[in-house]
Amino acid sequence: MYLFDAEIIENRRLADDISSLRLEARPEFVKAGSAGRFVMLASADERLDPLLKRPFGIVRCGRGWFEVVIKEAGKGSRNLAGLRAGVRVAVHGPLGNGYPELEKDGRPLVLVAGGIGIASIASVVFSRNFDPAALLFGAARAGELVLLEELKKTGGGRLEVAAITDDGSSGRRGLVTELLEEKLEKWSDARVFACGPGPMLQSVQRVLQARGVEGWLSLENRMACGFGVCLGCVQEMRAGVRAKVCTDGPVLVAGEVVF
């Protein structure tokens, strides 16, 4: 992991309260920024207010840059989302353990995203090739289905895409786990990567266990330090184990998490 100040290359508004920041990065950072890992960010001018950096998944990396998606939820995220190109940001990362590298044995991969969990799931689409594969994206409303067109373009014909929203504005009303159930009816031997809010992940885990499907969950627990010291993100696991989501995760094996 690295500690450095990075210049914002681009700040792109994706929705009313969701932005994409592209920041400069050294080659060694880009090489280490594998799918599912994250960074802790703060404005370089605001090291004391707010005091703590905020965690964001690495959406994708390119030559000399990396990208995160920020949903405004409090002072720290609002401040970061409002920064313009040329401003410097304090970066700590890449951190955590991402999605496992799976053997390409012909088994399908199902990607399940809820809300801003699309940032983590998108990192898989942008960095890996699986065929067949499906992206299932659930959000509160159609305006929050960010990155969807870019992901469709990147996935090309190898990626099936389906979206669902709480209010039906996407064309279908319901929960993303409904899409997952339907897909696993056809792809019973699939493997699943999922990221989203706790209740969604709990439901995903329940579906996978009921069907005996292998999967991994990327948790969105609150974090303060990002490297295992503060214990603010601890998650209860089976067999009485407590995992530090920032260092043992954020990606954990489905079926092992106690919600």
Side-chain angles (χ1 to χ4, degrees):
M1 59 183 175
Y2 305 94
L3 281 165
F4 60 99
D5 286 354
E7 183 175 311
I8 296 174
I9 299 170
E10 179 185 40
N11 182 342
R12 184 163 54 106
R13 181 65 67 172
L14 303 179
D16 290 344
D17 59 351
I18 304 175
S19 299
S20 169
L21 288 188
R22 181 169 292 190
L23 302 104
E24 64 180 5
R26 296 174 291 185
E28 56 268 30
F29 176 97
V30 171
K31 184 177 180 180
S34 58
R37 302 192 75 190
F38 69 97
V39 291
M40 302 292 288
L41 301 180
S43 169
D45 295 329
E46 297 172 345
R47 297 182 191 271
L48 296 178
D49 184 24
L51 178 62
L52 302 173
K53 294 184 176 71
R54 299 294 187 265
F56 300 98
I58 300 171
V59 174
R60 55 185 158 184
C61 294
R63 184 172 296 180
W65 57 266
F66 73 99
E67 189 174 309
V68 299
V69 170
I70 297 173
K71 181 176 176 63
E72 298 173 33
K75 183 175 182 179
S77 55
R78 284 196 302 270
N79 289 353
L80 286 164
L83 297 178
R84 297 180 179 180
V87 174
R88 302 192 71 79
V89 173
V91 180
H92 184 193
L95 300 166
N97 290 299
Y99 298 100
E101 292 283 353
L102 301 178
E103 183 180 354
K104 294 184 178 179
D105 54 7
R107 294 169 61 192
L109 177 64
V110 180
L111 306 170
V112 185
I116 201 63
I118 191 61
S120 174
I121 292 300
S123 69
V124 181
V125 178
F126 286 133
S127 64
R128 302 183 188 178
N129 293 311
F130 286 94
D131 190 6
L135 168 63
L136 313 178
F137 189 2
R141 54 188 177 82
E144 295 181 0
L145 294 170
V146 298
L147 300 177
L148 197 56
E149 294 307 314
E150 291 177 63
L151 293 169
K152 287 179 181 178
K153 183 177 179 181
T154 300
R158 66 180 175 82
L159 182 69
E160 297 181 20
V161 178
I164 194 167
T165 53
D166 295 348
D167 65 359
S169 56
S170 65
R172 179 169 173 179
R173 182 176 183 176
L175 302 176
V176 73
T177 44
E178 297 172 28
L179 300 179
L180 177 61
E181 291 267 23
E182 293 168 6
K183 181 54 65 177
L184 293 180
E185 282 289 333
K186 300 177 181 179
W187 289 356
S188 59
D189 62 341
R191 294 165 294 194
V192 175
F193 292 167
C195 184
M200 185 208 92
L201 293 181
Q202 183 177 14
S203 295
V204 168
Q205 178 169 266
R206 189 181 303 118
V207 170
L208 300 186
Q209 288 182 292
R211 293 177 173 271
V213 172
E214 188 178 20
W216 291 263
L217 310 177
S218 181
L219 275 61
E220 297 181 334
N221 294 28
R222 289 181 176 271
M223 296 180 188
C225 69
F227 53 95
V229 175
C230 73
L231 305 181
C233 65
V234 168
Q235 175 67 45
E236 185 178 356
M237 306 288 285
R238 296 196 184 279
V241 175
R242 291 181 176 271
K244 300 174 184 177
V245 172
C246 61
T247 54
D248 298 317
V251 178
L252 300 169
V253 177
E256 296 298 317
V257 183
V258 177
F259 288 100

